[in-house]
Amino acid sequence: MPLLIINETGRAAKKVFRFVSPPGSPTVRMVIGRSKSSDLVLPNVSVSREHAELIIKSGRVQLRRLSETNSVLVNGEEVQEIVLESGFTIRLGKYRITYLEEAEIDPIRLQQIGELPPYLAVADRRDPSATHTITPHLREKLLEQEALRERGALNSIADPNKWWILGVSAVEIGPSSAIPSSALLGSAVQATIAWGGAAHHIKKTSFLARVKINDESVREADLCVGDVLAINGTEFTYSLVPKQD
């Protein structure tokens, strides 16, 4: 049975939506949009009232664009209509949706998915007629933020083979922390990095720590790709981990 992993840009939580096929129905049509009458409601003005539809027939799942103003992206490419395969990533407005075939998921990941909360969205209570068109610039910005959230990492300057993917939860930096750095006195955590909704944000946590970005001392700041981060002399570059083929 197909399922969807739904994530809204800027939010860490993922939820799962499971398809339910009416018994005896050879074809299932499921509308995705902001309208409360949609089968799958995405309550954000970046989504059209009827943005796209999924058509399930003869073991295939077809995605078709319905909106005249907002695009449908699959694996980063704009599409009008496509047959989905397990692992395909769909972008509708601010939502990133991963399409999966349950039969093709390995048991460990299937167990992890089983622990996700169900997706139970309700319609947006604001003006149902208002739809904000996603401009090409905003679309690029959303994709850029998505890449930073998933692949933003610190790369050791002393050993370029060492990478630490940051993710969305707070990561500690210090002599005895997940990301090691030089100590001045003791082994206290010197800084933390967490996803702030649009960028990874570093915050100094020790009075004695020396935290610099591009040779400028900071107490806290958003990281940008290419920044050189130094903590008590231990240097990192903030970069995107290369995509795996």
Side-chain angles (χ1 to χ4, degrees), residues 174-187:
S176 303
S177 301
I179 302 178
S181 63
S182 301
L184 291 179
L185 290 172
S187 58

Side-chain angles (χ1 to χ4, degrees), residues 58-131:
S58 302
R60 299 198 319 168
V61 178
Q62 185 177 25
L63 175 68
R64 179 183 298 163
R65 174 181 171 179
L66 297 178
S67 174
E68 295 181 357
T69 55
N70 285 316
S71 63
V72 173
L73 300 180
V74 175
N75 297 337
E77 300 291 332
E78 191 167 335
V79 301
Q80 296 294 326
E81 194 170 316
I82 191 172
V83 175
L84 296 176
E85 296 180 17
S86 189
F88 276 16
T89 299
I90 306 162
R91 165 70 71 177
L92 302 178
K94 292 184 67 177
Y95 290 86
R96 180 180 184 271
I97 302 170
T98 303
Y99 171 82
L100 296 172
E101 287 284 354
E102 207 163 346
E104 298 182 24
I105 306 172
D106 66 76
I108 294 177
R109 190 176 185 196
L110 191 59
Q111 182 177 352
Q112 293 172 338
I113 291 171
E115 295 172 356
L116 292 176
Y119 184 81
L120 301 171
V122 295
D124 197 328
R125 297 191 180 192
R126 289 171 289 185
D127 180 3
S129 65
T131 299

Side-chain angles (χ1 to χ4, degrees), residues 3-157:
L3 51 86
L4 302 175
I5 307 299
I6 301 173
N7 181 240
E8 184 177 353
T9 298
R11 299 189 180 184
K14 295 181 179 179
K15 297 184 179 182
V16 61
F17 180 89
R18 298 181 182 275
F19 290 78
V20 177
S21 300
S25 176
T27 302
V28 176
R29 178 178 180 268
M30 189 177 80
V31 175
I32 305 173
R34 195 182 73 255
S35 169
K36 64 182 180 180
S37 63
S38 298
D39 301 292
L40 173 56
V41 180
L42 303 179
N44 186 278
V45 291
S46 65
V47 178
S48 298
R49 284 177 291 171
E50 291 192 352
H51 200 122
E53 67 176 349
L54 291 171
I55 302 170
I56 308 169
K57 183 179 181 180
S58 302
R60 299 198 319 168
V61 178
Q62 185 177 25
L63 175 68
R64 179 183 298 163
R65 174 181 171 179
L66 297 178
S67 174
E68 295 181 357
T69 55
N70 285 316
S71 63
V72 173
L73 300 180
V74 175
N75 297 337
E77 300 291 332
E78 191 167 335
V79 301
Q80 296 294 326
E81 194 170 316
I82 191 172
V83 175
L84 296 176
E85 296 180 17
S86 189
F88 276 16
T89 299
I90 306 162
R91 165 70 71 177
L92 302 178
K94 292 184 67 177
Y95 290 86
R96 180 180 184 271
I97 302 170
T98 303
Y99 171 82
L100 296 172
E101 287 284 354
E102 207 163 346
E104 298 182 24
I105 306 172
D106 66 76
I108 294 177
R109 190 176 185 196
L110 191 59
Q111 182 177 352
Q112 293 172 338
I113 291 171
E115 295 172 356
L116 292 176
Y119 184 81
L120 301 171
V122 295
D124 197 328
R125 297 191 180 192
R126 289 171 289 185
D127 180 3
S129 65
T131 299
H132 289 190
T133 301
I134 296 289
T135 64
H137 174 74
L138 179 55
R139 185 185 308 143
E140 288 298 317
K141 190 69 177 176
L142 290 171
L143 292 174
E144 177 185 322
Q145 289 178 2
E146 183 178 298
L148 290 174
R149 187 182 70 245
E150 295 188 350
R151 298 192 287 120
L154 294 186
N155 183 208
S156 170
I157 290 179

